[in-house]
Amino acid sequence: MKNKTIASFLQTVGQQTEVFARFSTVGGGQDSSDYARDPRGFALKFYTGEGNYDMVGNNTPVFFLRDGINFPDFIHSQKKNPKTNLPDPAAMFEFWANHPQSLHQVTILMSDRGIPASYRYMHGFSSHTFSFWNDQGKRTWFKWHFKTNQGIKNLTNKQAATTCPFGAQEDLVNAIERGDFPSWTTKVQMMSEEEAKDYKINPFDLTKVWPHSNFPLIEVGQLELNRNVDNYFSETEQACFSPSNLVPGIGTSPDKMLQARLMAYPDAHRYRVGANANQLPVNAAKYPVNHYQRDGKMAGMCPEGGENVQTSKVNFYPNDQINEGAPAPLPTIAEPPMPVEQDAWINRFDTVNTQDYYQQTGDLFRLMNESQKSQLTTTIAEGLIQAKSEVQKAMLEQFSNADIDYAQRIKVIMKNL
Ligand code: HEM
């Protein structure tokens, strides 16, 4: 990867980097079953020689939205009903009926892939577009793909309902304990800045995939999980992942959802764990790095060889103490300028080119075999029947825009429920 990025952990074949991983369900709280029909979080922390790099992805290549401004509304609509404290499919569908951009992800969520048999049997994706830059200051857009070496395995609704709610956690811990280490082949899709300018799909639209036929997957390594944590709370619960934890050679992109995430995560960490969350061993860099954080509760827990904390050195920049060893940005690792505004050309409530919402959804539906189509449409019908009639109508129109057969099958099943 040398010609694409200066990221120190991606320079030579055979190089190894320690990683911490956390998998999760998304919508539910701690009471969520491991087998909820829900995306799965796929979060990785790479302890690289130049500080920590986090890849905070999901098990799906796309997401429900393409603008962070809609995210709070989306999350509210997916939570339990405030009166009954029960899951509320009517509210979920009401949100989706008003956001046709969600249809692609809704189709993945309701498909046979919506309930992975365990965390070992699912892929991981950055979903977002990120950027590499090389020593010439040249940027390449890219997406991460982690392809499970265990193969994809899923549960049906019926199997999920009768499986132990902690089953995925148990499966992962036990596999690692017996030395059957789960692994993923790590790949990237790359797009040059020139290609991005004319590509038929906005490369920063999180509701779309980059077709592999145009941007093939390129293998860059293996991810292996070969150690369980010693204490779940101190490590896994207190782990703090953020898409803004980056290292030289890897940057963000004009993707509006990603831009919204960059500050949301450290905010959550300060509230959830504390101002000095990065001093906990699971979060601290394993190699000395500079930062300007000082004071706050629990300051001073610096693990040996880890973050360079609690110093009395200057903690602002620019300063006059560069010659006395104060940290300063290195021009040799400076990121090339990113035209965020020019390139993020999806408007907030863009309804132009609505056909675009449906093309990739329809393609996905048409790729499915008979059993997959039947599982998908049955699951949708069972949820949609609980929504208001105008929501049902709007959703059926969306399905029909993707593929007439998709809508037709749902209609027939709903009639018979
Ligand atoms: C604008 C959109 C989004 C916002 C504002 C947002 C915000 C958050 C926040 C505040 C947390 C809790 C962080 C913590 O307490 O440590 C979280 C967790 C998480 N989010 Fe997002 N999120 C967004 C979209 C996404 C997307 C698109 C993905 C995947 C591609 C994603 C993946 C995750 C994962 C994997 C976690 C759990 C990390 C862990 O295991 O600790 N999020 N999100």
Side-chain angles (χ1 to χ4, degrees):
M1 299 293 289
K2 239 187 185 115
N3 59 342
K4 297 290 179 200
T5 177
I6 57 168
S8 64
F9 71 113
L10 296 174
Q11 295 304 296
T12 42
V13 175
Q15 209 177 334
Q16 294 200 0
T17 305
E18 195 178 342
V19 170
F20 186 88
R22 178 168 182 255
F23 303 121
S24 49
T25 48
V26 174
Q30 275 219 320
D31 59 342
S32 171
S33 163
D34 288 356
Y35 296 116
R37 182 171 291 280
D38 200 5
R40 300 293 185 269
F42 196 106
L44 304 174
K45 190 180 284 296
F46 293 80
Y47 300 98
T48 87
E50 291 184 321
N52 293 351
Y53 168 65
D54 292 355
M55 199 301 303
V56 200
N58 275 343
N59 69 329
T60 57
V62 295
F63 198 69
F64 298 95
L65 301 170
R66 54 190 192 175
D67 189 336
I69 198 78
N70 303 131
F71 191 74
D73 292 312
F74 166 68
I75 291 296
H76 295 169
S77 75
Q78 306 298 300
K79 290 289 178 184
K80 286 179 179 173
N81 181 291
K83 187 172 163 66
T84 60
N85 197 33
L86 292 169
D88 194 349
M92 295 179 186
F93 275 105
E94 189 172 334
F95 180 90
W96 292 328
N98 287 298
H99 293 81
Q101 63 188 270
S102 301
L103 197 68
H104 194 185
Q105 173 80 325
V106 169
T107 300
I108 296 173
L109 179 66
M110 299 296 170
S111 77
D112 56 317
R113 293 212 178 176
I115 312 179
S118 128
Y119 303 122
R120 292 190 295 145
Y121 301 110
M122 63 188 198
H123 298 323
F125 303 89
S126 60
S127 320
H128 294 283
T129 299
F130 287 87
S131 53
F132 285 139
W133 77 86
N134 67 12
D135 58 2
Q136 306 299 306
K138 188 166 171 48
R139 168 178 285 117
T140 307
W141 305 118
F142 81 97
K143 287 173 185 278
W144 288 112
H145 295 250
F146 297 86
K147 296 286 187 188
T148 172
N149 292 333
Q150 290 67 242
I152 291 281
K153 252 196 227 171
N154 306 300
L155 297 191
T156 61
N157 289 337
K158 222 185 202 162
Q159 288 168 325
T162 53
T163 307
C164 161
F166 311 118
Q169 173 73 13
E170 192 175 30
D171 173 77
L172 181 66
V173 170
N174 289 346
I176 295 174
E177 212 52 45
R178 65 173 182 266
D180 179 10
F181 300 139
S183 62
W184 286 260
T185 299
T186 306
K187 302 186 176 191
V188 290
Q189 276 184 299
M190 291 192 276
M191 188 188 290
S192 69
E193 283 187 302
E194 296 70 44
E195 285 169 317
K197 287 206 174 85
D198 310 319
Y199 193 54
K200 57 186 176 185
I201 296 164
N202 182 334
F204 312 115
D205 178 348
L206 186 57
T207 63
K208 309 274 188 326
V209 293
W210 293 357
H212 294 185
S213 49
N214 294 141
F215 301 98
L217 294 175
I218 298 161
E219 189 171 333
V220 294
Q222 290 286 321
L223 167 73
E224 182 186 87
L225 301 183
N226 51 23
R227 184 170 70 80
N228 280 316
V229 295
D230 285 330
N231 183 291
Y232 188 83
F233 187 85
S234 77
E235 297 178 68
T236 311
E237 278 293 324
Q238 295 195 112
C240 293
F241 298 91
S242 170
S244 49
N245 283 345
L246 298 161
V247 288
I250 303 186
T252 61
S253 79
D255 174 336
K256 287 186 175 186
M257 284 287 283
L258 177 58
Q259 290 289 326
R261 294 179 69 199
L262 297 178
M263 280 192 272
Y265 289 69
D267 246 5
H269 301 155
R270 281 185 285 273
Y271 170 75
R272 180 169 69 80
V273 185
N276 289 304
N278 283 338
Q279 292 185 30
L280 291 171
V282 66
N283 297 322
K286 296 207 185 291
Y287 300 87
V289 293
N290 294 307
H291 64 88
Y292 289 156
Q293 167 69 21
R294 196 188 279 169
D295 306 339
K297 278 184 198 155
M298 309 299 281
M301 297 179 300
C302 177
E304 206 179 333
E307 291 213 333
N308 188 10
V309 293
Q310 284 300 90
T311 70
S312 53
K313 275 189 200 152
V314 61
N315 70 340
F316 52 88
Y317 183 83
N319 61 64
D320 298 334
Q321 298 165 46
I322 302 296
N323 293 339
E324 290 138 53
L330 270 181
T332 48
I333 59 167
E335 181 175 8
M338 188 186 295
V340 173
E341 281 188 16
Q342 297 93 299
D343 282 352
W345 66 85
I346 321 163
N347 292 328
R348 184 181 295 183
F349 300 115
D350 190 358
T351 48
V352 182
N353 193 11
T354 47
Q355 209 40 42
D356 200 23
Y357 296 141
Y358 307 114
Q359 184 62 47
Q360 290 200 345
T361 311
D363 291 346
L364 176 62
F365 174 79
R366 289 181 286 275
L367 263 182
M368 293 183 184
N369 63 30
E370 191 50 40
S371 152
Q372 288 170 320
K373 283 182 179 164
S374 154
Q375 282 188 53
L376 167 73
T377 48
T378 306
T379 300
I380 291 175
E382 286 171 358
L384 190 55
I385 197 99
Q386 300 177 51
K388 290 185 285 194
S389 63
E390 51 282 26
V391 168
Q392 294 184 4
K393 202 166 149 241
M395 285 305 304
L396 285 167
E397 204 175 306
Q398 288 185 25
F399 294 125
S400 156
N401 286 338
D403 194 296
I404 292 169
D405 184 31
Y406 192 0
Q408 203 50 39
R409 285 169 184 254
I410 296 169
K411 259 191 225 165
V412 171
I413 301 168
M414 281 171 72
K415 255 194 204 137
N416 293 321
L417 284 175

